[in-house]
């Protein structure tokens, strides 16, 4: 579950599922052997309160995510998280922007720590960017900061 805060008066939530992909980790090159590769799918909701009223947008995303240990802080392991995936937006006009296409890329960069027994609880802070990567014009993009909580079953 992600709480997201974005450009202007945009806020949202993102509910994600991360597949257990331990077999994919065998494909990582030797220099990334300590890393973890996973696949995340999500559904998200954005809300915007502007001068012209309230706007909403739904999105679906799918992204490979790489986490790599950075070290520890206060006896908790800290990981860097990077990923680039695809997003499908319900609306192409949102928050006074013309995003031009329903298809966008989701890029992320963040930090994560794991807590509790068997590291089942995870807290993260991420920067998320959505854009069409210049494949179409205009390409204003949308930027978000997110706070996430994950629980592993």
């Amino acid at each position: 579950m992600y709480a997201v805060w974005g450009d202007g008066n945009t806020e949202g939530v993102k509910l994600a599922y991360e597949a257990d992909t331990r077999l994919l980790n065998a494909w990582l090159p030797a220099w990334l052997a300590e890393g973890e590769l996973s696949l995340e799918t999500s559904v998200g909701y954005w809300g915007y309160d502007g001068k012209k009223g309230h706007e909403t947008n739904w999105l679906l995303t799918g992204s490979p995510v790489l986490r790599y240990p950075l070290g520890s802080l206060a006896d908790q392991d800290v990981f860097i998280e990077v990923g680039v995936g695809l997003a499908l937006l319900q609306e192409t006009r949102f928050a006074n922007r013309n995003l031009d296409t329903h298809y966008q890329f989701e890029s992320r960069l963040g930090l994560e720590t794991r807590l509790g027994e068997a590291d089942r609880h995870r807290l993260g802070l991420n920067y998320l960017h959505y854009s069409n990567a210049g494949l179409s014009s205009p390409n204003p993009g949308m930027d978000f900061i997110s706070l996430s909580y994950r629980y592993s079953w």
Side-chain angles (χ1 to χ4, degrees):
M1 168 85 91
Y2 294 78
V4 296
W5 298 272
D7 298 336
N9 295 326
T10 305
E11 296 178 346
V13 65
K14 180 176 163 181
L15 184 60
Y17 173 77
E18 188 174 298
D20 182 359
T21 55
R22 286 178 238 170
L23 294 176
L24 289 178
N25 293 327
W27 294 358
L28 291 174
W31 59 275
L32 282 176
E34 294 180 43
E36 299 174 0
L37 185 61
S38 66
L39 299 174
E40 181 185 283
T41 58
S42 71
V43 60
Y45 172 84
W46 297 340
Y48 172 76
D49 289 315
K51 294 178 183 177
K52 295 181 181 179
H54 186 74
E55 298 177 35
T56 62
N57 209 349
W58 288 91
L59 64 150
L60 298 173
T61 66
S63 181
V65 179
L66 176 66
R67 289 182 188 87
Y68 193 82
L70 286 178
S72 62
L73 181 65
D75 294 328
Q76 298 298 320
D77 292 332
V78 177
F79 296 79
I80 189 168
E81 177 179 277
V82 295
V84 176
L86 299 175
L88 175 64
L89 303 180
Q90 177 189 21
E91 302 292 336
T92 60
R93 293 188 179 275
F94 179 74
N96 295 324
R97 296 171 193 225
N98 177 5
L99 301 171
D100 195 55
T101 67
H102 292 281
Y103 305 99
Q104 302 282 313
F105 290 93
E106 177 192 73
S107 305
R108 73 170 72 191
L109 178 63
L111 296 173
E112 179 182 86
T113 188
R114 297 171 184 181
L115 309 165
E117 183 182 322
D119 293 337
R120 295 189 95 142
H121 303 273
R122 299 178 181 189
L123 294 175
L125 180 65
N126 288 279
Y127 164 73
L128 302 169
H129 176 73
Y130 296 87
S131 78
N132 64 38
L135 298 176
S136 184
S137 185
N139 182 28
M142 295 284 298
D143 295 307
F144 293 89
I145 296 294
S146 75
L147 182 60
S148 65
Y149 170 77
R150 300 170 198 251
Y151 180 79
S152 299
W153 280 273

